[in-house]
Amino acid sequence: MTEYYYRLDVGQLPDELYREPVPVKEWLQRTIACNKKEGFPKNSLNQLLPIPWDVEAERIVGISLYMVGNVLPFLLPLLCLLAFFFQSAKYVLLFVFLYTGTLFVVER
């Protein structure tokens, strides 16, 4: 039987396989294969594994902190300059500080 399609559920891989010296064959041993004629069973490719709540919260906070961290060096000087002229810019600047500080504290 010639195999045409492979499925690898990376959500079920153990942490030991996420290291650089691990050969690709270790990952490929965990694949599920099928041939072109049969294919995978119906609705077997649209199933998601549940993520633990603490991992999901860490990803939500971590990604938000990463995105804010990328914009912050450009946003802070502009907001500081605008805060001298507009009262609303002071509130936005305060919000940015509080939001970033909260994300930083939660991530630690």
Side-chain angles (χ1 to χ4, degrees), residues 76-100:
L76 279 181
L78 179 64
L79 282 177
C80 288
L81 180 66
L82 290 175
F84 284 117
F85 301 107
F86 301 103
Q87 184 68 24
S88 58
K90 290 180 184 178
Y91 295 120
V92 173
L93 186 61
L94 180 63
F95 171 76
V96 168
F97 279 133
L98 288 174
Y99 181 71
T100 307

Side-chain angles (χ1 to χ4, degrees), residues 33-101:
C34 70
N35 63 18
K36 190 174 184 178
K37 190 174 187 180
E38 294 173 8
F40 288 108
K42 188 174 183 174
N43 292 328
S44 67
L45 298 177
N46 64 355
Q47 297 172 350
L48 297 174
L49 291 175
I51 299 174
W53 69 271
D54 57 336
V55 174
E56 186 171 2
E58 179 187 8
R59 289 179 183 171
I60 290 170
V61 171
I63 290 172
S64 299
L65 186 60
Y66 176 77
M67 298 298 278
V68 168
N70 283 330
V71 175
L72 214 53
F74 305 104
L75 186 64
L76 279 181
L78 179 64
L79 282 177
C80 288
L81 180 66
L82 290 175
F84 284 117
F85 301 107
F86 301 103
Q87 184 68 24
S88 58
K90 290 180 184 178
Y91 295 120
V92 173
L93 186 61
L94 180 63
F95 171 76
V96 168
F97 279 133
L98 288 174
Y99 181 71
T100 307

